[in-house]
Amino acid sequence: MAKWRRAGDSVTLTNGGFDLLHVGHVRYLRAAKELGGRLVVAVNSDASVRALKGEDRPLMPAEERAEILAALADVDAVVIFSESDVRAIIREIRPDVHAKGTDYTVENVPERDEVIACGGRVEIVGDPKDHSTTEMIRSRLGRSRS
């Protein structure tokens, strides 16, 4: 981060579980990158995904999810976090922008106050939330049982 900042780059942070990468994730990450500067993706640890999504998740371990994300051209860095939200990472890296998906509004982003306190702003990016790993799993399981 320090090297990037010395070079004049801004930092955008985004976060999520990214379990089974799909086109909605790709569009979200591309839109976050288009905000400018470097894109850092914070990935929920396996334990935090289980707490959020249930005992059957994640389908892939955090290290693999992080490796896949790091291979994408729009992503400059990936970090795995185990907390229930990204406030600690926001305090640590002090992003210029915190990008969240269209299932949020600028007003209801849980970490909004932390971002503002650290001198950043919140932006909503990506296409409508028409893609969901949870829904993909449900539809596949429903079909396989019939």
Side-chain angles (χ1 to χ4, degrees), residues 12 35 95-99 106 112 115-116 119-123:
T12 297
L35 294 171
D96 299 284
V97 182
H98 182 46
V106 170
R112 179 178 181 266
V115 174
I116 292 168
R121 72 180 194 279
V122 173
E123 295 282 345

Side-chain angles (χ1 to χ4, degrees), residues 102-120:
T102 57
D103 45 336
Y104 291 94
T105 67
V106 170
E107 293 77 26
N108 73 5
V109 168
E111 307 87 12
R112 179 178 181 266
D113 291 342
E114 197 71 45
V115 174
I116 292 168
C118 289

Side-chain angles (χ1 to χ4, degrees), residues 17 19 44-60 65 133-134 137-138:
D19 197 10
N44 291 80
S45 69
D46 296 344
S48 67
V49 170
R50 270 192 296 281
L52 292 166
K53 303 288 185 176
E55 285 302 313
D56 293 343
R57 302 281 296 279
L59 300 174
M60 291 189 307
R65 291 181 278 129
T133 301
T134 300
I137 293 167
R138 276 194 197 123

Side-chain angles (χ1 to χ4, degrees), residues 36 59 90 129:
L59 300 174
I90 290 167
K129 185 98 172 165

Side-chain angles (χ1 to χ4, degrees), residues 6-107:
R6 282 194 302 274
D9 291 333
S10 63
V11 174
T12 297
L13 172 70
T14 191
N15 69 284
F18 299 99
D19 197 10
L20 289 185
L21 197 64
H22 55 69
V23 70
H25 291 136
V26 172
R27 291 172 182 166
Y28 168 59
L29 294 169
R30 183 169 300 132
K33 179 67 173 183
E34 288 172 357
L35 294 171
R38 301 294 186 144
L39 179 60
V40 178
V41 181
V43 177
N44 291 80
S45 69
D46 296 344
S48 67
V49 170
R50 270 192 296 281
L52 292 166
K53 303 288 185 176
E55 285 302 313
D56 293 343
R57 302 281 296 279
L59 300 174
M60 291 189 307
E63 292 77 15
E64 291 180 16
R65 291 181 278 129
E67 184 176 341
I68 290 167
L69 288 164
L72 298 176
D74 291 322
V75 176
D76 295 293
V78 179
V79 61
I80 298 170
F81 70 101
S82 58
E83 297 83 7
S84 61
D85 63 44
V86 291
R87 285 181 174 92
I89 292 173
I90 290 167
R91 286 190 296 275
E92 186 174 337
I93 71 170
R94 305 180 71 81
D96 299 284
V97 182
H98 182 46
K100 295 294 269 188
T102 57
D103 45 336
Y104 291 94
T105 67
V106 170
E107 293 77 26

